[in-house]
């Protein structure tokens, strides 16, 4: 597997947060995703120590990162939308919509950037209360 920054891979972030939620130390939570303790500390600090709430969390009916990689590879090979849909187990319209939404004009489809864009669209725009209310955060920390 290629090494991507945890900050740009929502699926890696979820593994990190699952480790933190299980009660692991930062050092133990970053082991499964093969990143440094410093990166884990950065993620934790940016979130205010609280796991960010995400909308759909890209589960279920949404495309996975693996499916997006398949779309990128098959599209680069010149496969049709129907052929790509058959390989990943989705309809051709789903593949077409994915390519339309997550490809920048004049560039090729990139699985990493497409996954990040989809994740950002799935997120709630509302920040966590403990992240915005410092007085409440201080009380909870104490």
């Amino acid at each position: 597997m290629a090494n991507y920054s945890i900050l740009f891979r929502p699926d890696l972030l979820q593994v990190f947060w699952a480790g933190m939620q299980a009660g692991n130390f930062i050092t133990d939570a970053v082991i499964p995703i093969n990143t440094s303790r410093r990166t884990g500390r950065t993620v934790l600090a940016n979130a205010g120590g609280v796991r960010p709430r995400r909308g759909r969390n890209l589960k279920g009916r949404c495309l996975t990162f693996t499916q997006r990689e398949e779309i990128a590879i098959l599209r680069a090979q010149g496969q049709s939308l129907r052929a790509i849909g058959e390989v990943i187990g989705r309809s051709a319209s789903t593949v077409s919509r994915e390519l339309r939404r997550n490809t920048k004009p004049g560039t090729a489809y990139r699985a990493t950037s497409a996954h990040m864009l989809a994740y950002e669209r799935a997120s709630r725009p509302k920040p966590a209360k403990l992240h915005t209310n410092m007085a409440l955060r201080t009380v909870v920390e104490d």
Side-chain angles (χ1 to χ4, degrees), residues 118-130:
Y119 187 74
E120 289 301 318
R121 271 197 306 278
S123 302
R124 289 186 60 191
K126 182 178 172 183
K129 185 165 283 215
L130 292 178

Side-chain angles (χ1 to χ4, degrees), residues 15 19 25-26 28 42 52 54-55 57 65-66 69 76 89 109 111 119 122-123 131 134 136:
V15 172
F25 291 108
I26 296 173
D28 298 327
T42 301
R54 293 292 178 188
N57 203 15
F65 183 71
T66 306
E69 284 182 325
Y109 177 81
Y119 187 74
S123 302
H131 185 70
M134 296 309 282
L136 178 61

Side-chain angles (χ1 to χ4, degrees), residues 62-73:
C62 301
L63 292 173
T64 65
F65 183 71
T66 306
Q67 289 173 325
R68 287 188 170 95
E69 284 182 325
E70 282 293 321
I71 291 172
I73 291 168

